[in-house]
Amino acid sequence: MAETTVTTQVKSPLRPVSKEGLEKLAANAKANPDVVKSLKVKTVCEGQFRNLTYVRDLPAHVIDEPPSLLGQDTAPNPSEAVLACLGSCLSVGIHANAVMRGITLTKLELELEGDINITGVWGIGDLSEKRLGFTDIRVKVDLEGDATREELEELVAHSNYWSPVANTLRLPVNMEVSLA
């Protein structure tokens, strides 16, 4: 009789976040709950639709458009960047909350897609009345760790609720755009 071999794949935990650092951040936030920080970036148009955005002292973050929107296709377009920012913010929140709850994650991947009508592109296309911006965004979180499915679902829901970027997309924001 042939012997059957069962192989179990052991997954490594994600690179850990300092629980002590998270606890210190949480304590500071609880001690000063009304602190509002202003974030600053500078965007410079290189030409065509390629833009360089500078954040702190980091290398430029490039934003471009695909050829279908007359860009050079060298980087994500602004709407894709919004989805990327949402995915990253949710990922950070999920990972931080997993650490705080003692859950070790071995996989954290997010797939995002958003529906956007681009026929009024930059106010030069079809200018009939319509919803501008994303109308629907769907996020699928592929998450594995040493927790039950229910615990992982609650972790994702909690992180979504507290995500600054998700809330920026969900809630009205006061915004002013003016000539310098």
Side-chain angles (χ1 to χ4, degrees):
M1 185 173 198
E3 191 174 315
T4 303
T5 305
V6 177
T7 305
T8 304
Q9 183 180 4
V10 177
K11 293 189 174 189
S12 300
L14 298 179
R15 189 166 16 101
V17 175
S18 165
K19 185 168 185 181
E20 295 78 25
L22 288 170
E23 289 169 341
K24 184 177 179 184
L25 280 173
N28 287 342
K30 289 175 184 175
N32 302 294
D34 296 323
V35 171
V36 173
K37 181 175 182 177
S38 293
L39 304 178
K40 296 181 181 184
V41 302
K42 180 177 183 177
T43 298
V44 178
C45 183
E46 232 185 14
Q48 231 173 329
F49 289 139
R50 185 178 156 93
N51 288 278
L52 304 176
T53 297
Y54 298 91
V55 179
R56 298 187 308 271
D57 59 352
L58 300 171
H61 180 86
V62 181
I63 298 290
D64 197 357
E65 291 286 355
S68 63
L69 293 174
L70 308 178
Q72 299 171 24
D73 204 21
T74 61
N77 73 22
S79 298
E80 293 164 331
V82 167
L83 291 177
C85 291
L86 174 60
S88 295
C89 189
L90 290 168
S91 176
V92 166
I94 291 166
H95 197 181
N97 280 280
V99 169
M100 292 298 283
R101 295 170 186 212
I103 298 171
T104 300
L105 298 178
T106 55
K107 183 178 186 181
L108 175 53
E109 296 178 7
L110 295 87
E111 290 188 27
L112 296 89
E113 71 180 20
D115 302 331
I116 187 168
N117 182 325
I118 61 168
T119 61
V121 63
W122 315 302
I124 62 170
D126 173 21
L127 303 183
S128 62
E129 190 171 320
K130 64 183 78 181
R131 165 80 185 258
L132 300 176
F134 286 110
T135 55
D136 295 281
I137 296 175
R138 292 167 297 285
V139 181
K140 299 268 189 212
V141 181
D142 192 358
L143 186 60
E144 295 176 10
D146 61 354
T148 66
R149 178 165 181 89
E150 292 75 25
E151 289 170 321
L152 295 176
E153 286 173 349
E154 200 285 321
L155 175 65
V156 169
H158 179 81
S159 300
N160 176 34
Y161 180 83
W162 288 100
S163 165
V165 175
N167 280 294
T168 299
L169 292 170
R170 273 194 289 267
L171 304 171
V173 175
N174 300 321
M175 189 172 81
E176 177 184 323
V177 179
S178 63
L179 192 57

